[in-house]
Amino acid sequence: MGVKFLTAEWADAATEALSAHGRFASAIEGVDLALQFEVVNCPGDAQTSYYAKVANGSAAIRMGTARKADISVSTDYPVAVAISKGELNVQTAFFAGKLRVSGNLAKLMLNQGALGPLAAAVSTLDVEY
């Protein structure tokens, strides 16, 4: 049985997957980045917030709001699910207007090498949608 998407259990499982993924660990060396995610139209909730924090060679995904996010990403639940399942590429979603990104875009571009391995690391999770 998998973890329910966008819950504290999902965030914990994603953090564990990041820690265990060798390619991600090497991709985040020297990276200090906080990404805030807002997902609207979630089942039962109007909005769900979570963040990913990468610093000092480790990463964590937590529910809630980051103290200071470098980048904010917002989308709706169906797009978040499609990205999580690997059915939709983040870049494709962005260029199609399905993701809104704000904040320090230069820092995002500088650290984009860590984002592909992040998606690969969490794609192995058994998730219930």
Side-chain angles (χ1 to χ4, degrees):
M1 185 163 136
V3 293
K4 186 158 175 57
F5 189 48
L6 300 180
T7 63
E9 293 79 19
W10 167 82
D12 290 344
T15 298
E16 288 177 28
L18 294 175
S19 297
H21 196 272
R23 186 169 157 232
F24 179 71
S26 64
I28 63 169
E29 287 182 26
V31 173
D32 182 7
L33 184 65
L35 299 136
Q36 180 68 49
F37 297 89
E38 304 295 333
V39 183
V40 297
N41 300 325
C42 298
D45 291 322
Q47 180 171 320
T48 298
S49 301
Y50 70 98
Y51 62 94
K53 175 70 176 148
V54 177
N56 302 319
S58 66
I61 295 178
R62 300 285 180 247
M63 301 308 296
T65 304
R67 289 184 196 203
K68 184 179 178 192
D70 299 300
I71 306 295
S72 293
V73 179
S74 59
T75 192
D76 64 15
Y77 186 79
V79 171
V81 168
I83 291 170
S84 175
K85 289 181 173 181
E87 298 170 350
L88 180 62
N89 177 286
V90 172
Q91 290 84 359
T92 301
F94 174 75
F95 287 116
K98 296 179 179 188
L99 283 179
R100 289 156 305 286
V101 180
S102 62
N104 188 340
L105 300 181
K107 190 169 186 177
L108 177 65
M109 295 304 291
L110 180 68
N111 293 293
Q112 69 180 346
L115 300 179
L118 184 148
V122 297
S123 69
T124 61
L125 294 177
D126 181 13
V127 180
E128 295 177 20
Y129 299 95

